[in-house]
Amino acid sequence: MKHSFVLKADWNGGRNSDGQIEAGNLRTQISIPKEMGGPGVGTNPDEMLLGAAATCYLITLAAMMERSHLPVHELSLESEGIVDVTDNIFTYVSITHKPHIVLAREATAKDVETADRLAHKAEGSCMISRAVSGNVALATEPKIETVTE
């Protein structure tokens, strides 16, 4: 079964202008980020790629932990994308996901081990990660804790 996603975009000028995109529930302004010499209006392709990779990873991880019946108390994520600019050529170099998994008090040592294994496995199971693999270095640095109170 194939799914189609459609994005519509409008652009208001040259390189340092801005535009708008709309795709399903996503509606936002876009431009080149200030760090790269643009106006910094709305979001940009670098943030959007990081957002796609991060949300795909987080949803994949949550589903894997649910199927494994892990006693998850909290799940959050910080992801970092690195873009290199050499000779005015922009290259997305890496994405590192740093999930913070807090397991319920009753979690066992085996649950902690399973959470760590799944945190790393989710990267290779995520559709966006598979799409960029080989072009962008992908890493996972999980922090796993149990509720102590």
Side-chain angles (χ1 to χ4, degrees), residues 12-130:
N12 299 317
R15 178 195 186 277
N16 286 328
S17 191
D18 61 61
Q20 300 80 37
I21 60 169
E22 182 177 324
N25 291 322
L26 174 64
R27 289 174 183 81
T28 189
Q29 288 185 282
I30 57 170
S31 74
I32 294 173
K34 283 186 179 187
E35 300 84 359
M36 295 179 179
V41 175
T43 191
N44 58 70
D46 309 289
E47 291 172 342
M48 292 181 64
L49 179 59
L50 181 60
T55 55
C56 183
Y57 172 81
L58 186 61
I59 292 167
T60 300
L61 176 57
M64 293 172 88
M65 290 192 306
E66 181 180 274
R67 284 192 298 269
S68 295
H69 305 288
L70 286 179
V72 178
H73 179 72
E74 293 178 26
L75 174 60
S76 59
L77 177 67
E78 179 179 308
S79 296
E80 179 182 22
I82 302 294
V83 174
D84 178 55
V85 183
T86 302
D87 296 328
N88 212 25
I89 297 173
F90 296 81
T91 304
Y92 221 108
V93 177
S94 66
I95 295 174
T96 302
H97 297 301
K98 300 173 186 178
H100 183 198
I101 303 166
V102 180
L103 299 175
R105 185 178 337 228
E106 67 270 13
T108 65
K110 185 174 190 276
D111 290 335
V112 172
E113 181 181 303
T114 299
D116 185 66
R117 181 177 54 80
L118 293 178
H120 291 282
K121 184 177 180 181
E123 186 68 68
S125 300
C126 165
M127 144 178 99
I128 302 298
S129 297
R130 289 192 318 265

